[in-house]
Amino acid sequence: MLKEIFEQPDALANTIRGRLDPAGGTAFLSGLSLSPRELAAVRRVVIVGCGTSLHAGMVGKYLFEKLADIPTAPEQAAEFRYSNPIVGPDDWVIALSQSGETADTLAAVRESIRKGALVSGLCNVVGSTIAREAGRGVYLHAGPEISVASTKAFTAQVTALLMTALKLGRTRRLSFEDGDRLVKEISRLPELVGKVLEGNDAIAKVAEKYAKADDMFFIGRGMLHPVALEGALKIKEVAYVHAEGYQAAELKHGPIALLSEKTPVVALLADIPGKEKTLGNVQECRTRMAPVVGVVTEGDEAAAAAVTDALVIPKTCAELSPIVTVVVLQLFAYHVARLRGCEIDQPRNLAKSVTVE
Ligand code: M6R
């Protein structure tokens, strides 16, 4: 797991390589095999996946809606396949799967094809069943992911979705200037993730303080909400800590009853709209004596002062904040698991690919 976390700058460089078009302020994604006219005709995007891939798809919703003004529905693949889904020729179904072999995601692809939707796969494993059956798509090129806990596939999926949203946006109302800004920022991604990895020792130190906790909460707003879910999933999988991810605003609608000095809250405080409101939620947690670990942007003194322990990420735009934030959470989960003496690369009850229902 640690090896794959540290491979992320190279993995992302490979996901991005040859796919940015600075002259057009857009992305080249030839595997999609969709003309601008076909892309412009899409009325709705549905993103299907499971586990970490579902969380990447949930980030994708925010990216597609923000950059391309197109309604986007992330769907858990098993729920989707059995819901007699309402999809058709105006819908673009994007199947996310690292392995390309997850049974429920594959079934969602088959059902969408049956119903006449446009279908694409975003897979890591070249030649996998989902990639073949979808017939068109984007390979992540993140390199083999062996660890059961998915890490580099998530950041590569979000990056691929971001480039897809950029391309779709440029067939609609996204201006060249905004596209150009994103192209420049995406090309910095490997360097930004490299900076997060330099904080490994600091993250390990903070993990020492919380490694004995039996319960944790992860909170975030907007596109950081799925990252909160992903942080909670990582620590469940490898450290066997009971953890829940919530929209920051939802905490006070019930879960706050569980907070005490024994329940650390990890608050995602990157610079995106709504951060000030999340800071308000941090205050509510601290009033209940819960220690708060904040993932904060470098130089954001107010956010750092509001939390018990601050873990720092480099400055970037909102669209890239899920990627830099999740790397902190991957390392945090890894260190908590290591300190609890867990078999990180052989987590109990889990398999790398879920090829049965
Ligand atoms: O290969 P896939 O991306 O389709 O796998 C989906 C999930 O089974 C997978 O992400 C799972 O949740 C991981 N163990 C998460 O770390």
Side-chain angles (χ1 to χ4, degrees), residues 104-356:
D104 287 322
T105 311
L106 176 59
V109 164
R110 289 178 176 159
E111 183 67 0
S112 304
I113 292 173
R114 247 176 246 126
K115 293 195 159 166
L118 207 57
V119 180
S120 298
L122 250 75
C123 301
N124 194 34
V125 177
V126 175
S128 54
T129 312
I130 292 172
R132 279 188 285 110
E133 294 206 13
R136 52 158 68 92
V138 178
Y139 279 120
L140 303 178
H141 298 312
E145 190 182 69
I146 308 299
S147 165
V148 171
S150 183
T151 54
K152 61 180 181 172
F154 179 85
T155 49
Q157 282 169 330
V158 175
T159 304
L161 286 168
L162 176 55
M163 291 189 291
T164 308
L166 169 62
K167 187 176 170 73
L168 195 57
R170 290 286 291 126
T171 67
R172 292 158 189 255
R173 293 292 306 147
L174 190 74
S175 67
F176 170 78
E177 288 71 23
D178 285 339
D180 180 54
R181 173 186 65 79
L182 270 172
V183 165
K184 291 194 173 108
E185 204 59 15
I186 294 170
S187 56
R188 290 182 61 219
L189 199 45
E191 170 203 328
L192 291 168
V193 169
K195 275 197 186 158
V196 178
L197 296 174
E198 284 169 18
N200 184 35
D201 290 348
I203 297 169
K205 244 190 153 36
V206 171
E208 270 173 36
K209 275 179 79 174
Y210 300 106
K212 293 208 167 85
D214 292 323
D215 306 280
M216 289 190 197
F217 287 87
F218 288 70
I219 59 169
R221 271 169 200 265
M223 59 179 93
L224 294 177
H225 166 237
V227 179
L229 297 178
E230 177 60 10
L233 176 63
K234 284 294 85 97
I235 210 154
K236 280 185 261 214
E237 281 187 293
V238 296
Y240 313 134
V241 172
H242 165 239
E244 298 195 38
Y246 270 99
Q247 292 103 339
E250 190 60 19
L251 213 58
K252 65 167 93 60
H253 295 282
I256 202 166
L258 293 171
L259 294 188
S260 73
E261 68 285 355
K262 292 198 175 115
T263 48
V265 177
V266 179
L268 309 185
L269 293 163
D271 246 325
I272 67 166
K275 184 196 78 182
E276 299 302 325
K277 300 242 177 248
T278 309
L279 279 171
N281 304 122
V282 164
Q283 201 42 52
E284 290 161 6
C285 297
R286 297 203 62 187
T287 309
R288 274 77 187 181
M289 308 314 287
V292 177
V293 178
V295 181
V296 307
T297 308
E298 62 182 344
D300 187 345
E301 305 301 339
V307 298
T308 320
D309 293 281
L311 298 173
V312 178
I313 50 170
K315 263 199 184 72
T316 183
C317 60
E319 291 86 347
L320 265 58
S321 63
I323 300 173
V324 290
T325 299
V326 82
V327 176
V328 174
L329 304 186
Q330 295 166 352
L331 284 169
F332 183 69
Y334 171 84
H335 288 298
V336 169
R338 176 181 58 76
L339 293 158
R340 290 168 77 95
C342 301
E343 275 290 347
I344 295 169
D345 288 322
Q346 279 170 340
R348 68 184 177 217
N349 307 339
L350 298 176
K352 181 62 182 161
S353 273
V354 185
T355 53
V356 291

